[in-house]
């Protein structure tokens, strides 16, 4: 089972939604998330919104997912222009944040992808 969390007006969120299976659960940024402790494994895709500069939503989402980490098979975090060329330095913040989370919460595998 896939869970996509992102801004519905984002072209990246829309593109990712089109390539995921039809039964993907899609949540908008700010929607409440309740992940029961029992159920099939989840693969989470998070499209980081540029307006989350202080990582408020990112931290909240990470807390929710860490509490259900037994069900989370993997988490993919997508940012734009935050690493190699770094045209948007605020996009590098979630990448660094999730690298730390990956080291702290060993049973929540997180993969970060920064797109140009």
């Amino acid at each position: 089972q896939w869970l996509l969390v992102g801004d519905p007006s984002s072209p990246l969120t829309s593109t990712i939604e089109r390539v995921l299976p039809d039964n993907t659960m899609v949540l908008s940024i700010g929607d409440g998330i309740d992940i029961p402790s029992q159920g099939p494994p989840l693969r989470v895709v998070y499209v980081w919104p540029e307006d989350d500069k202080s990582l408020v939503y990112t931290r909240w989402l990470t807390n929710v997912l860490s509490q259900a980490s037994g069900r989370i098979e993997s988490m993919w975090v997508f940012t734009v222009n935050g690493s190699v060329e770094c045209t948007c330095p605020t996009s590098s913040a979630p990448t660094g944040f999730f690298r730390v989370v990956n080291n702290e919460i060993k049973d929540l595998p997180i993969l970060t992808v920064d797109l140009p």
Side-chain angles (χ1 to χ4, degrees):
Q1 178 74 51
W2 287 87
L3 170 62
L4 172 61
V5 181
D7 179 354
S9 65
S10 160
L12 180 55
T13 301
S14 299
T15 300
I16 292 172
E17 184 177 0
R18 284 193 300 271
V19 299
L20 291 175
D22 290 338
N23 67 344
T24 297
M25 296 181 290
V26 180
L27 296 173
S28 297
I29 298 296
D31 284 352
I33 299 175
D34 179 32
I35 301 175
S37 59
Q38 300 296 315
L42 289 173
R43 294 182 199 125
V44 179
V45 177
Y46 175 48
V47 180
W48 178 76
E50 288 188 35
D51 63 350
D52 190 21
K53 292 176 179 29
S54 61
L55 304 179
V56 171
Y57 187 74
T58 299
R59 288 179 287 144
W60 176 82
L61 176 64
T62 303
N63 186 42
V64 169
L65 295 177
S66 69
Q67 292 176 19
S69 62
R71 286 202 51 210
I72 308 300
E73 186 174 294
S74 62
M75 179 178 183
W76 292 79
V77 178
F78 286 84
T79 58
V80 177
N81 293 324
S83 59
V84 179
E85 295 294 322
C86 203
T87 58
C88 182
T90 55
S91 291
S92 62
T95 300
F97 173 79
F98 282 113
R99 285 182 182 159
V100 171
V101 170
N102 219 10
N103 287 325
E104 296 293 322
I105 306 173
K106 299 289 186 193
D107 56 347
L108 180 61
I110 301 170
L111 303 139
T112 56
V113 179
D114 185 67
L115 301 170

